[in-house]
Amino acid sequence: MKYSGYYLILTGVVHSIIGLVLGWDILLDMHHDNWFASTVFEGEVIVDREAISWFLFSGFFWVIFGLMLQKAIEQGFVPPLSLAWGFIIMGLVMAVIMPVSGAYLFIVQGIVLLRRRSYSSNLST
């Protein structure tokens, strides 16, 4: 648990790099359309542009959340069980829907949080 925030940061960075590599052509098209409202054409959503935007923003979110979590842990915060179980459940659902994905990183992250919490509570009893 000591480095859980760093694990999330790494997950977000890897997620963003994959998004940039796989979505580069889509991003170039958005750039050529001057970015503003570049995910909509004649009132219709351009799904691949929406998808890559959300993909990259979610990677950025994991980096920000990881920075916050790591800072909180360093200041003595113990993440709640709900965070551990939330990561595990989210990872399991994602793994079922998208078996070839990074969903397993969230399962591992949740297990790390659970194991560290149970280890910490065993030390205090």
Side-chain angles (χ1 to χ4, degrees):
M1 182 180 74
K2 183 177 179 181
Y3 301 110
S4 291
Y6 292 129
Y7 300 151
L8 279 178
I9 293 166
L10 182 61
T11 299
V13 168
V14 169
H15 195 268
S16 297
I17 290 169
I18 289 169
L20 286 171
V21 170
L22 296 179
W24 188 251
D25 291 337
I26 298 166
L27 294 168
L28 282 177
D29 289 341
M30 292 170 70
H31 178 72
H32 293 304
D33 288 341
N34 299 313
W35 295 106
F36 183 74
S38 62
T39 64
V40 178
F41 181 73
E42 295 181 357
E44 295 292 321
V45 172
I46 305 171
V47 177
D48 61 346
R49 292 181 178 194
E50 290 270 330
I52 194 60
S53 297
W54 278 107
F55 194 93
L56 290 170
F57 281 115
S58 64
F60 185 64
F61 168 79
W62 289 118
V63 170
I64 293 169
F65 185 55
L67 288 167
M68 185 275 312
L69 180 61
Q70 190 60 42
K71 181 72 170 177
I73 289 170
E74 289 170 1
Q75 293 179 354
F77 174 75
V78 177
L81 284 174
S82 60
L83 182 62
W85 284 112
F87 282 164
I88 291 169
I89 292 167
M90 181 178 68
L92 288 171
V93 169
M94 287 173 51
V96 167
I97 296 169
M98 300 179 292
V100 181
S101 72
Y104 306 98
L105 295 174
F106 291 107
I107 297 168
V108 171
Q109 177 68 24
I111 291 169
V112 166
L113 288 169
L114 276 180
R115 291 192 66 201
R116 185 61 184 168
R117 277 190 61 95
S118 66
Y119 175 75
S120 296
S121 63
N122 286 341
L123 288 178
S124 63
T125 55

